[in-house]
Amino acid sequence: MITTDFAPGSPCWLDLGAPDVRAAAAFYSAVLGWDYESMGEGEDMEGGMFRKDGKIVAGLGKLTEEGARSAWMIYYSVTDADATTQAVERAGGTVRMAPRQLDEWGRMAQYSDPLGGQFAVWQPGTNKGVDLVDEPGSLSWTELYTSDATAAKEFYSGVFGWQFGGMELPGGGGTYSLITPAGLPEERMHGGLMEVPKENLALANGRPYWHPVFNVTDCDAAVAKVTESGGSVQMGPEDAEGVGRLAVCLDPSNADFVVLTPPPS
C-alpha cells in the first residue's frame, strides 16, 4: 500500500500535463470527484491543484513541451535529487530536467529510463507530497508498461534500490513484477511493472510509460463517467482475483490512468 510517510523510493506526487487545463479539470472532477484549485489568476487556468475532500491529491499544468503527449508524471521521493541524478546517468538513463529548487517546498528533477519511460523525483523541503493516498479518489498504485522488464528492473533497482517480487498473470500472460521500496516489507509495495510487446506501447510511440492507478468506490460507475465526459476505455471493467475490479482508461487528451475498486476487506 502507498502511505503518506513517503519513504525514499515511494511515490509521493503526481501531476498531469494537459493541452487544455480547464477541460482536464472538468473531466477529473466528474470522474474522481476532485475539486480544482487554480494557482494562477484569470481565465487561462494554466495550473493548479486537485483536491479530494479538501486534501491535495495531484497537480495539473499546461502541456508546453513541443511534441509531448498528454500524460501523468509520477514523482518518487528521494533524499538527494542530485545524487539520484548521478545514479540515473550511471544506470544509462537521461536527465530531462536537471534538479531545480522550488522555493522552500523542495527540489525536483525529471528523467527517462534507458528505453524512454519518463518519471520524476521529489526531494522534500516543507512539502512532502500529496495529502491523501490509498483512499477513494486518490493514488493507490503506480504501474510501468515496458518492452523489457529485465532491463527496467536493473535500471530502477540501481536508481532507487527497489525490491521486486513476481506474480504470475492468469492465462499464461507472463509475470507481473511487484515493486517495494528498499528495506520495507512486502505490505508496503507501491507498484508494478509489466512486460508487453512493443507494438502495445503505441500510446507512447513504442516507449515504456508509467501511469497512476486511482482508487474508486465503484469501478463501473467511474467508467461510465469516463465515457460520458469524453474519455475512453482501453480495457475493462474486469475483475482481477485478489486485486479488485479495474479498468484502463484514457482521458479526452489520451492521458492514461486506471480506476480500481479494491476487493472487500
Side-chain angles (χ1 to χ4, degrees):
M1 65 181 294
I2 297 175
T3 74
T4 54
D5 71 358
F6 303 132
S10 63
C12 64
W13 181 258
L14 68 162
D15 54 37
L16 174 68
D20 186 331
V21 169
R22 187 178 295 274
F27 174 83
Y28 287 98
S29 175
V31 173
L32 296 172
W34 288 350
D35 297 312
Y36 179 68
E37 181 181 290
S38 176
M39 297 288 284
E41 298 181 358
E43 292 298 313
D44 291 339
M45 293 177 63
E46 291 296 305
M49 304 294 178
F50 284 119
R51 292 182 182 268
K52 176 69 174 177
D53 301 327
K55 297 180 178 180
I56 294 174
V57 289
L60 172 63
K62 180 80 170 177
L63 183 67
T64 56
E65 186 177 347
E66 188 173 347
R69 76 178 185 98
S70 183
W72 283 97
M73 179 69 72
I74 299 170
Y75 293 70
Y76 295 95
S77 186
V78 296
T79 56
D80 187 331
D82 295 274
T84 302
T85 297
Q86 294 172 3
V88 166
E89 293 177 320
R90 284 196 303 270
T94 302
V95 179
R96 300 183 64 248
M97 180 186 294
R100 63 170 61 176
Q101 189 72 30
L102 298 180
D103 296 327
E104 74 280 4
W105 300 326
R107 193 163 172 78
M108 65 167 287
Q110 295 185 356
Y111 315 106
S112 294
D113 67 27
L115 293 178
Q118 297 180 2
F119 67 103
V121 299
W122 179 252
Q123 177 187 328
T126 58
N127 189 326
K128 292 186 176 181
V130 295
D131 298 329
L132 185 70
V133 294
D134 215 31
E135 297 288 342
S138 68
L139 181 70
S140 64
W141 194 252
T142 64
E143 195 167 59
L144 174 68
Y145 290 167
T146 181
S147 56
D148 191 335
T150 300
K153 287 189 284 186
E154 181 179 355
F155 172 79
Y156 288 102
S157 63
V159 172
F160 294 120
W162 284 347
Q163 306 164 118
F164 293 95
M167 178 178 76
E168 292 304 312
L169 296 171
T175 301
Y176 187 86
S177 297
L178 300 163
I179 304 169
T180 305
L184 294 184
E186 283 189 359
E187 56 262 29
R188 286 295 305 276
M189 64 178 61
H190 65 253
L193 181 160
M194 186 165 68
E195 183 168 303
V196 298
K198 196 167 185 178
E199 55 266 26
N200 290 7
L201 299 172
L203 199 61
N205 296 318
R207 296 191 304 272
Y209 56 89
W210 287 95
H211 59 214
V213 178
F214 297 117
N215 181 313
V216 294
T217 55
D218 186 332
C219 180
D220 293 76
V223 166
K225 287 292 187 182
V226 166
T227 55
E228 287 171 13
S229 304
S232 58
V233 180
Q234 288 191 304
M235 183 192 80
E238 63 182 42
D239 295 313
E241 185 177 355
V243 176
R245 188 162 176 81
L246 59 88
V248 181
C249 305
L250 298 175
D251 72 16
S253 296
N254 286 336
D256 54 303
F257 63 99
V258 175
V259 289
L260 167 70
T261 300
S265 55

